[in-house]
Amino acid sequence: MSLTMPAPEPEILAARDDLIARLREIVKPANVVHLDRELAPWECDALTMYRQKPLVVVLPETVAEVAAVMRLAAELNVKVVPRGAGTSLSGGSLPLADGILLAMGKFNRILEVDFENRVARVQPGVTNLAITNAVAHRGFYYAPDPSSQIACSIGGNVAENAGGVHCLKYGLTTNNVLGVEMVLIGGEVVRLGGKHLDSEGYDLIGLVTGSEGLLGVITEVTVRILQKPETARGVLLGFDDVKAGADCVAAIIAAGIIPGGMEMMDKAAIAAAEAFRPCGYPSDAEGLVIVELDGTAAEVDHLVGEVAKIAEANGATSVRVSTSEAERLGFWFGRKNAFPAVGAIGPDYLCMDGTIPRGRLADVLTRMDELAAKHGLRVANVFHAGDGNLHPLILYDAAIPGDTEKAEAFGADILRLCVEVGGVLTGEHGVGVEKRDLMGEMFDEVDLGQQERVKCAFDANGRLNPGKVFPTLHRCAEMGFMHVRSGDLPFPEIPRF
Amino acid sequence: MQTNFLPHLLADPDVALAEKILRKCVHCGFCTATCPTFLELGDERDSPRGRIYLIKEMLETGRPADAETVTHLDRCLTCLACMTTCPSGVDYMHLVDHARAHVAKTYERPLADRLFRRMLRLVIPNPSIFRLALIGANLARPFARWLPAKFAGLFALAPKRLPPPSWVDAAQTIPAKGARRRRVALLSGCAQTALDTAINEATVRLLTRLGVEVVVAEGMGCCGALEHHMGETDAAHARAAKNIRAWTREIDGGGLDAIVVNTSGCGTTVKDYGHMFRNDARLAEDAARVSGLARDVSELLADLDLAAALVARPRLRVAYHSACSMQHGQKITTLPMELLAKAGFEVVPIPESHVCCGSAGTYNILQPDLATRLRDRKVANIATVAPDVIAAGNVGCMVQIGTGTPTPIVHTVELLDWATGGPIPDGLEALTASENASA
Ligand SMILES: Cc1cc2nc3c(=O)[nH]c(=O)nc-3n(C[C@H](O)[C@H](O)[C@H](O)COP(=O)(O)OP(=O)(O)OC[C@H]3O[C@@H](n4cnc5c(N)ncnc54)[C@H](O)[C@@H]3O)c2cc1C
Ligand code: SF4
Ligand code: SF4
């Protein structure tokens, strides 16, 4: 792999046995995993291109255990990588050879559902879908719905500011999290926000959401739950030209309609989905747009008609409106299975995640085809069309020498293209290690310096998830920060436990 | 997922197949969400994705299995919920089969474990020995606390009242009532014929009533699943081969429309005979034929005219428990519920119905702690729908769930037999007495 991680610190590697012994005093001995042959299952997340066995894996069961581990980490100056469900596509939970991997899988309980205040308080290892399942019997749900929602953890969602098909209307994770409990390096437990919409002082939850495990370990999350819309209907649109599809998406938004979801797929993605399991998509279309409208029945019926009209005006070659719940789900089937469908022909795939101004879509797709030809690989595109978030899926075969490097180079070119047309490096999967070295394409030294200062305020010694997000992490002292070990408290106004 | 097998290992077709399966996994982690052991333990090594990784590491070099890998493979229920969830079609079943065979070949279990497993293999597949053992267990029950902890699981499961052997399990041909519409062979099962003879009796009554001739083939016995899941491939294949021969004689003789299995755990295995013998020149063809004819009893019933045979019965509220081997192994999901509804019962689904009850063959004997946690989870979920009776299509689940709840639990065919004129299933008398009174 052509990824450079921070060099393992020899004194930490040398003190491994001592660290393991100390960890076994904190958590149940069986929850410290250290035999080489047992570490492999944690060596990567869903970005399998990069793999590294951790120094040791710890599976804490209580907040007190997490705090004690973080205290020990600060004392021994050991790095810590938090891990949720390990579904990150940017290598966010890639372990470090000289770091503890703190796996939060045992934090899997729903602590409280408060229908009165429409919130749920959950442990960070609870899966996104489990929250919805826990409140569905009263007609509620948790809105952000990443395609990985069955498995990804809410802690990981907060860390990555995860999004999904329905985020166009209901917001990303950051718009749906009201409170967070977090353990800082050194072991302090802080609580941010609560059950209410806004809290006094800085919006630190906003800061923590999307922090990719660099600022603290999340140990509890309070999320907003919403009442399920009365009804939802889908519209499936085919276009013989992606530009027409992109124009249609823009026209729908311009008409003041905010669909529950609005997704686009290109020809390669349609073909992959159809080959995986036939789902009735128009096979001759160059581009496909799925629009979902939700709300009261009268409102939805009206909007469905409006969308169909706009689509026809924009040259849609086929327009299908769902007349049953089964049909609506059928429209989504291919889109929801786009990743495994592509995986089935890959055999490996690299999922990119960039955001572009919607108006540049046709242009970007054309240039992406040129890049595919240049790198000799295939690419399929799925696209959160409503908010401009593009997911090119690069197909490669890890068994062919050189293919992995080609895929990496192709991916980097795609992200440069996104930045060049005025977009950004990531939409919802985070920077992790995957996009780390491209941060310079997007931000200059001053920008990056400011972001690092935030990191320093929480973690002056760079112990939490180093090697992620920032191409090179400067020593905080260079940035005008004193090393804060256990004396001065940053953010003294935050309640501490 | 990338693999790095030593090239010479891939010459073995079983290893080559394992490699092909591993290559399909994209490490997305979706399967972790429905894996019972991951739900309970929250440990990647006890998730399908983690086990796949451990298996990969072991098989890539062909090294002998180690104690840790064995621990996590032993904790796997083989419930196959992961296969239902996996969007990429990873064939975990055949991967773990191969891994278990590798464990059996290369790993020496501690002596006590070895002996215990050998005892299970000797006892359970042999109804007459099993019956003696169950009687013995009942006699020994007062002394249970002086016996090794390993036996606790066994004692918990041994029913307090044992039925005598049933006429229905002897080799014979039982003619259809009225015009013969089908001719089928019935797998009697091994443990089932000792633990609960009512199931086969109800099956035969129901099928013959609906015009089916039922053959209990000479030479048929345990399906081999128990040894198969322990990785004892040769022993499992020997049992399977006996059944294949027994049924082939019937197929070539009087002819068979189906081979009916009323224990879904066994059904999954019989349906896999074709795969098990795919590289066996002598039996491949017959095995494939047998697998092709294998049907869960609910699949056969769906083809028969149940409605015409219905009689009036009280409308009990039935919680249907779908065995893992039924829903994940054989992908039979709603069919039994449809049959029960058609027969006039109020059928209610159980929340978290995709999660195993912990029975899983001999799992509840070998892993009593986890099995009990899963049983309690299942029983709590069942309680939320407050049923009169629980129905299931697998004797193992019936015994397992039965140890945790006072609600009666019966086989789906027992209810269907009753609804079409058969006797009332054991344990429901009190219920219907009050129902009748209030009706
Ligand atoms: C098939 C597939 C489809 C996907 N679709 C989407 C999609 O539609 N939208 C989307 O946004 N994402 C998607 N993802 C990406 C991924 O699911 C999300 O990024 C998710 O939020 C990661 O959660 P996780 O629990 O798996 O975290 P992990 O992968 O374990 O970790 C991700 C990051 O979060 C940090 N972290 C995890 N838990 C904690 C904690 N308790 N405290 C502090 N830091 C923590 C880790 O250090 C790491 O940096 C998809 C992934 C896959 C495999
Ligand atoms: S769901 Fe399938 S592809 Fe994904 S990790 Fe599990 S087995 Fe692998
Ligand atoms: S078979 Fe069941 S217990 Fe085993 S890995 Fe799959 S889901 Fe988990």
Side-chain angles (χ1 to χ4, degrees):
Chain A
M1 66 186 186
S2 59
L3 177 78
T4 319
M5 293 303 282
E9 295 165 6
E11 58 283 9
I12 302 294
L13 297 179
R16 183 171 184 258
D17 291 347
D18 178 42
L19 173 69
I20 291 168
R22 297 279 302 273
L23 287 169
R24 287 164 68 103
E25 288 166 12
I26 297 174
V27 300
K28 288 183 192 136
N31 291 342
V32 179
V33 186
H34 57 93
L35 292 176
D36 184 63
R37 57 175 178 264
E38 285 196 276
L39 292 173
W42 283 281
E43 72 180 9
C44 60
D45 48 30
L47 180 70
T48 56
M49 186 179 261
Y50 305 120
R51 297 183 294 273
Q52 169 65 55
K53 283 186 190 161
L55 185 66
V56 55
V57 178
V58 182
L59 299 156
E61 293 182 349
T62 62
V63 180
E65 287 181 357
V66 174
V69 171
M70 296 288 270
R71 212 172 305 126
L72 182 69
E75 180 196 325
L76 301 179
N77 207 32
V78 183
K79 298 165 187 164
V80 177
V81 178
R83 171 171 162 129
T87 68
S88 167
L89 289 168
S90 58
S93 46
L94 177 72
L96 294 166
D98 59 346
I100 296 171
L101 187 75
L102 197 61
M104 301 297 286
K106 290 184 185 279
F107 280 74
N108 57 6
R109 279 184 309 123
I110 304 226
L111 300 171
E112 181 193 355
V113 178
D114 179 348
F115 288 106
E116 193 92 332
N117 288 303
R118 305 194 166 194
V119 297
R121 202 161 56 80
V122 303
Q123 291 190 317
V126 169
T127 62
N128 173 298
L129 189 61
I131 302 179
T132 290
N133 286 344
V135 298
H137 63 286
R138 293 271 301 263
F140 283 81
Y141 75 118
Y142 173 64
D145 57 344
S147 311
S148 52
Q149 69 181 143
I150 185 173
C152 61
S153 75
I154 190 69
N157 285 178
V158 173
E160 299 283 15
N161 190 16
V165 163
H166 289 92
C167 290
L168 173 62
K169 184 166 179 181
Y170 298 100
L172 295 159
T173 304
T174 191
N175 308 103
N176 290 276
V177 169
L178 301 177
V180 163
E181 180 190 75
M182 184 165 99
V183 180
L184 306 179
I185 194 86
E188 285 168 75
V189 181
V190 298
R191 294 185 78 99
L192 309 171
K195 288 185 176 180
H196 38 288
L197 260 184
D198 190 20
S199 48
E200 64 289 348
Y202 295 120
D203 178 14
L204 292 175
I205 298 181
L207 191 66
V208 167
T209 310
S211 63
E212 304 200 25
L214 265 69
L215 304 185
V217 178
I218 297 158
T219 48
E220 191 187 298
V221 184
T222 304
V223 297
R224 190 149 64 120
I225 52 173
L226 301 179
Q227 200 121 35
K228 258 209 202 90
E230 183 187 307
T231 186
R233 290 177 74 185
V235 188
L236 188 71
L237 307 169
F239 294 90
D240 56 12
D241 164 17
V242 266
K243 184 166 179 323
D247 289 345
C248 176
V249 166
I252 291 170
I253 302 239
I257 300 171
I258 311 249
M262 185 147 59
E263 296 288 303
M264 202 164 164
M265 293 165 75
D266 72 358
K267 197 179 178 69
I270 301 169
E274 279 290 326
F276 186 63
R277 244 167 265 162
C279 41
Y281 287 170
S283 55
D284 50 349
E286 286 291 323
L288 185 80
V289 177
I290 309 168
V291 189
E292 180 168 297
L293 299 145
D294 58 7
T296 60
E299 182 190 357
V300 170
D301 290 347
H302 168 71
L303 290 177
V304 160
E306 291 296 303
V307 166
K309 260 189 257 161
I310 296 172
E312 269 150 24
N314 280 277
T317 48
S318 65
V319 178
R320 272 174 61 199
V321 177
S322 74
T323 50
S324 68
E325 186 62 4
E327 198 177 7
R328 179 183 74 85
L329 294 174
F331 287 179
W332 282 116
F333 187 82
R335 168 62 186 90
K336 293 258 176 190
N337 283 296
F339 287 29
V342 164
I345 51 175
D348 299 289
Y349 68 83
L350 179 61
C351 171
M352 307 307 294
D353 165 46
T355 303
I356 56 169
R358 276 192 309 269
R360 303 297 300 271
L361 178 65
D363 180 26
V364 166
L365 289 186
T366 313
R367 289 184 49 198
M368 208 181 303
D369 281 342
E370 290 163 19
L371 289 173
K374 175 181 143 199
H375 291 281
L377 293 175
R378 289 177 299 162
V379 64
N381 271 288
V382 294
F383 188 46
H384 297 310
D387 45 22
N389 184 196
L390 193 63
H391 291 316
L393 299 156
I394 300 172
L395 308 185
Y396 71 104
D397 185 346
I400 301 176
D403 241 30
T404 303
E405 290 73 18
K406 272 202 254 175
E408 280 179 291
F410 184 10
D413 276 351
I414 291 177
L415 292 176
R416 282 194 197 96
L417 175 63
C418 291
V419 175
E420 187 198 311
V421 300
V424 294
L425 283 175
T426 161
E428 55 187 19
H429 296 170
V431 176
V433 292
E434 185 216 8
K435 282 165 269 190
R436 183 193 70 186
D437 296 342
L438 293 165
M439 286 286 272
E441 304 277 335
M442 173 96 210
F443 301 108
D444 61 21
E445 279 296 310
V446 179
D447 289 339
L448 285 173
Q450 294 298 1
Q451 295 179 33
E452 280 186 58
R453 283 194 172 81
V454 175
K455 163 79 172 157
C456 288
F458 282 84
D459 173 24
N461 292 320
R463 296 294 93 181
L464 255 177
N465 216 3
K468 315 288 168 67
V469 182
F470 297 109
T472 43
L473 197 57
H474 296 92
R475 291 166 58 90
C476 291
E478 288 170 36
M479 315 204 53
F481 261 85
M482 298 301 293
H483 277 214
V484 187
R485 270 225 157 140
S486 42
D488 293 348
L489 299 176
F491 299 112
E493 72 282 6
I494 301 172
R496 283 157 211 278
F497 296 83
Chain B
M1 198 158 63
Q2 193 178 1
T3 55
N4 290 299
F5 275 73
L6 296 177
H8 70 272
L9 295 173
L10 293 172
D12 178 344
D14 289 339
V15 178
L17 176 68
E19 199 248 5
K20 234 177 98 194
I21 297 171
L22 286 164
R23 287 283 290 137
K24 262 195 146 177
C25 171
V26 297
H27 211 252
C28 65
F30 282 21
C31 52
T32 61
T34 54
C35 172
T37 56
F38 186 74
L39 289 175
E40 283 297 321
L41 303 171
D43 184 331
E44 182 81 20
R45 293 167 300 173
D46 291 311
S47 78
R49 182 176 61 173
R51 292 189 177 109
I52 288 171
Y53 228 108
L54 290 169
I55 293 171
K56 174 176 95 77
E57 294 283 299
M58 174 173 79
L59 296 182
E60 275 178 339
T61 57
R63 68 168 161 78
D66 56 86
E68 290 74 28
T69 303
V70 172
T71 299
H72 301 294
L73 289 183
D74 281 354
R75 282 190 197 147
C76 168
L77 297 137
T78 329
C79 70
L80 307 184
C82 46
M83 285 180 69
T84 299
T85 305
C86 175
S88 303
V90 172
D91 183 358
Y92 178 83
M93 176 170 96
H94 288 126
L95 181 67
V96 80
D97 278 353
H98 178 68
R100 290 208 169 107
H102 184 81
V103 168
K105 259 188 272 166
T106 63
Y107 178 73
E108 184 159 45
R109 292 177 181 277
L111 183 67
D113 195 15
R114 224 158 48 210
L115 292 177
F116 190 63
R117 282 168 181 261
R118 198 173 297 163
M119 185 221 36
L120 291 179
R121 282 177 49 202
L122 173 76
V123 172
I124 298 180
N126 298 298
S128 40
I129 305 181
F130 189 38
R131 180 169 294 108
L132 282 177
L134 290 173
I135 294 170
N138 272 336
L139 292 175
R141 203 184 292 274
F143 312 104
R145 62 192 157 114
W146 289 291
L147 287 169
K150 272 198 174 341
F151 288 85
L154 260 183
F155 280 111
L157 294 172
K160 305 223 167 51
R161 200 162 51 91
L162 263 193
S166 169
W167 66 274
V168 85
D169 295 322
Q172 60 189 302
T173 298
I174 308 156
K177 300 257 156 57
R180 188 180 96 176
R181 298 198 175 88
R182 301 270 201 292
R183 184 171 193 268
V184 305
L186 176 68
L187 173 74
S188 308
C190 47
Q192 176 159 301
T193 60
L195 281 170
D196 192 344
T197 47
I199 301 173
N200 283 342
E201 289 176 5
T203 304
V204 166
R205 272 194 309 268
L206 177 62
L207 291 182
T208 51
R209 186 179 302 133
L210 298 176
V212 181
E213 179 171 298
V214 180
V215 182
V216 182
E218 182 76 50
M220 174 257 321
C222 163
C223 70
L226 185 135
E227 279 144 331
H228 190 61
H229 293 315
M230 287 186 178
E232 301 293 342
T233 312
D234 293 345
H237 281 214
R239 288 193 194 278
K242 267 183 74 185
N243 286 345
I244 293 167
R245 292 204 182 90
W247 287 325
T248 299
R249 279 194 295 274
E250 287 299 331
I251 297 170
D252 295 339
L256 287 179
D257 296 311
I259 294 165
V260 173
V261 188
N262 58 12
T263 305
S264 58
C266 310
T268 308
T269 303
V270 176
K271 285 183 175 180
D272 200 41
Y273 280 177
H275 180 89
M276 285 162 71
F277 288 90
R278 70 195 184 287
N279 296 324
D280 183 319
R282 281 174 315 142
L283 275 177
E285 203 176 307
D286 289 344
R289 220 156 35 131
V290 164
S291 288
L293 282 173
R295 298 279 180 282
D296 183 73
V297 62
S298 60
E299 293 178 286
L300 178 69
L301 288 168
D303 284 345
L304 301 171
D305 190 6
L306 195 67
L310 292 177
V311 299
R313 296 291 188 213
R315 186 173 163 80
L316 297 185
R317 186 174 163 87
V318 182
Y320 173 73
H321 162 75
S322 186
C324 298
S325 42
M326 191 77 83
Q327 55 174 327
H328 306 305
Q330 301 187 46
K331 305 273 179 262
I332 299 172
T333 50
T334 53
L335 195 57
M337 290 205 258
E338 287 160 21
L339 288 169
L340 287 167
K342 214 192 278 177
F345 296 101
E346 180 197 355
V347 187
V348 284
I350 302 171
E352 259 197 5
S353 59
H354 59 278
V355 178
C356 181
C357 67
S359 163
T362 50
Y363 192 88
N364 46 7
I365 301 169
L366 292 166
Q367 301 279 340
D369 294 346
L370 263 174
T372 305
R373 282 166 72 165
L374 289 170
R375 182 201 67 187
D376 293 346
R377 187 175 179 132
K378 179 62 70 187
V379 167
N381 274 314
I382 293 175
T384 63
V385 297
D388 298 322
V389 53
I390 307 161
N394 190 50
V395 66
C397 308
M398 291 167 58
V399 174
Q400 168 79 353
I401 295 173
T403 60
T405 171
T407 309
I409 178 160
V410 299
H411 195 288
T412 310
V413 293
E414 291 181 81
L415 288 177
L416 297 177
D417 172 43
W418 181 44
T420 51
I424 186 160
D426 251 5
L428 300 193
E429 302 84 356
L431 250 173
T432 50
S434 61
E435 283 264 335
N436 282 338
S438 66

